[in-house]
Amino acid sequence: MSIYQKFGVRKVINGSGKMTILGASAVQPEIAEALGAAAMDYVVMEELMVAAGQKIAIATGTEDGCPTAGAAPGIAIAVAAVIAGTDLSKIERLPNSDGLKNEIILQKGHVVNFGAPVAQMITLGGGRVIEAGQANHVEACHIKEAITEKTAALFYVKSHHAVQKGMQSIETMAAIAKKYNLPFIIDAAAEGDLKKYAAAGADIVIYSGGKALGGPTSGFICGRANFMKACRKQYKGIGRAMKVGKEGIIGLLTALKLYECQVDDSKLQIERMTWLINQFDKTSGIKGEIVQDEAGRAIYRANLTINPEITSKDAYQIIKELEEGNPAIYTRNYYANLGIISIDPRPLLKRQEEVIAMRIKEIIKEK
């Protein structure tokens, strides 16, 4: 019995991914031990924040860092930092930024919802969202023409949620930011490369601690030292409402330490998902294939394409029954409208792909 079942909620099999709605990651024992040890002791939080910033800087190859409660508060705090800096009077005004340089420019195809709107997180930090170009086509001149004396920063969303074609590259955005002497912020929440985006020219990069890192619910910002100092100062303002605890910081730092030794598990991902697909070789109405992550990450999922004329149930019906069962099985359903159910192997615990295969077969046999 899981700890959650003891409190009256169903067991969950997570084949969806490291999703916030399912608690993000199941941490390694070493991280769990660190969380427990941190919870049973005291620390001067300001000292811990500074020390954590230095550890984050080492892991990311940047000047400094700032721990956060997640990537979403990281967006709000980073935006607040470029608007208010370390000026306490301005910090205490936010999110009211009237009269300040507060315009944050991002490409229209990056104005996405990741469970909440990116634009709302920017607004919480006092930013006024300026959308450049169109949802499927942005030119460099769209971004340049959006820049005014009120522009506080350029913002880029690196995510599978964002439009993947017709957008300007990180390199182009970085060059424009440099030309106009503007901070360049990248939201790289679920990305696994902790050095790539700062090296590509970002002044501020935001990551989740509970996604690719496999840490607890947490996050961090990294980049130029002056901005990181300003980020930490926001905890005297809007950051207070989204503060990260001592346990979260220690869990994050432990996850960063373990991440340095992480090995590529893509071969194992492919093996597990190939096994899953093979279970449907003789099942009429279900065709499986291995696909790589839309954003190019080393993630290999199983796509099951459902033919409802044969199975008598479409993808949506199967998804619904999977989620309503006990255990509740959650899959990745961005292409359910095309009849595709996707399974992400990364969050699956040992042999849970066997339960998924068995349950899907049971569902399509139920008339």
Side-chain angles (χ1 to χ4, degrees), residues 25 39 45 75 97 103 125 131 133 161-162 188 200 213 238 248 255 279 289 307 339 356:
S25 294
M45 289 300 295
I75 294 172
S97 59
E103 293 180 354
E131 300 179 10
H161 292 296
L213 274 181
I238 64 159
Q279 304 313 299
E289 65 174 337
N307 184 341
I356 294 173

Side-chain angles (χ1 to χ4, degrees), residues 203-226:
D203 300 294
I204 300 171
V205 189
I206 303 154
Y207 290 94
S208 169
K211 299 291 178 64
L213 274 181
T217 298
S218 58
F220 64 91
I221 311 167
C222 59
R224 284 170 45 187
N226 61 319

Side-chain angles (χ1 to χ4, degrees), residues 273-292:
M273 294 300 94
T274 298
W275 180 92
L276 178 66
I277 286 171
N278 288 343
Q279 304 313 299
F280 297 98
D281 279 349
K282 298 179 181 179
T283 303
S284 299
I286 299 181
K287 180 182 178 182
E289 65 174 337
I290 303 293
V291 296
Q292 188 175 358

Side-chain angles (χ1 to χ4, degrees), residues 246-292:
K246 57 187 179 182
E247 305 90 347
I249 295 174
I250 294 300
L252 169 66
L253 296 182
T254 306
L256 277 171
K257 179 182 176 182
L258 294 175
Y259 195 67
E260 294 174 358
C261 306
Q262 180 179 261
V263 296
D264 180 7
D265 70 343
S266 55
K267 182 178 179 182
L268 179 60
Q269 292 178 36
I270 293 170
E271 288 177 357
R272 294 182 77 181
M273 294 300 94
T274 298
W275 180 92
L276 178 66
I277 286 171
N278 288 343
Q279 304 313 299
F280 297 98
D281 279 349
K282 298 179 181 179
T283 303
S284 299
I286 299 181
K287 180 182 178 182
E289 65 174 337
I290 303 293
V291 296
Q292 188 175 358

Side-chain angles (χ1 to χ4, degrees), residues 46-63:
E46 188 172 350
E47 292 180 6
L48 179 59
M49 294 285 286
V50 172
Q54 292 305 304
K55 296 296 184 183
I56 291 167
I58 292 169
T60 59
T62 57
E63 295 177 3

Side-chain angles (χ1 to χ4, degrees), residues 11-156:
K11 179 178 176 62
V12 168
I13 292 177
N14 178 8
S16 178
K18 297 185 178 183
M19 312 296 285
T20 299
I21 62 166
L22 298 177
S25 294
V27 302
Q28 297 180 48
E30 187 174 340
I31 297 172
E33 290 172 11
L35 286 164
M40 293 187 290
D41 206 346
Y42 299 96
V43 69
V44 176
M45 289 300 295
E46 188 172 350
E47 292 180 6
L48 179 59
M49 294 285 286
V50 172
Q54 292 305 304
K55 296 296 184 183
I56 291 167
I58 292 169
T60 59
T62 57
E63 295 177 3
D64 200 356
C66 175
T68 65
I75 294 172
I77 289 170
V79 168
V82 299
I83 293 173
T86 58
D87 187 319
L88 186 57
S89 296
K90 292 178 181 177
I91 289 169
E92 290 177 345
R93 286 178 51 190
L94 298 181
N96 177 5
S97 59
D98 292 347
L100 303 177
K101 292 176 65 173
N102 63 358
E103 293 180 354
I104 308 296
I105 298 171
L106 67 166
Q107 303 180 73
K108 196 175 186 70
H110 288 190
V111 186
V112 297
N113 186 303
F114 58 90
V118 164
Q120 186 176 38
M121 300 305 107
I122 292 172
T123 303
L124 284 172
R128 179 172 171 245
V129 175
I130 304 297
E131 300 179 10
Q134 310 305 318
N136 64 341
H137 181 75
V138 179
E139 297 190 20
C141 62
H142 283 132
I143 299 163
K144 294 175 184 177
E145 290 164 2
I147 295 172
T148 72
E149 70 280 356
K150 296 280 288 179
T151 303
L154 303 189
F155 194 97
Y156 188 100

Side-chain angles (χ1 to χ4, degrees), residues 310-321:
I310 298 175
T311 61
S312 298
K313 293 183 179 180
D314 63 21
Y316 286 112
Q317 290 171 301
I318 294 172
I319 290 165
K320 184 173 185 290
E321 293 190 41

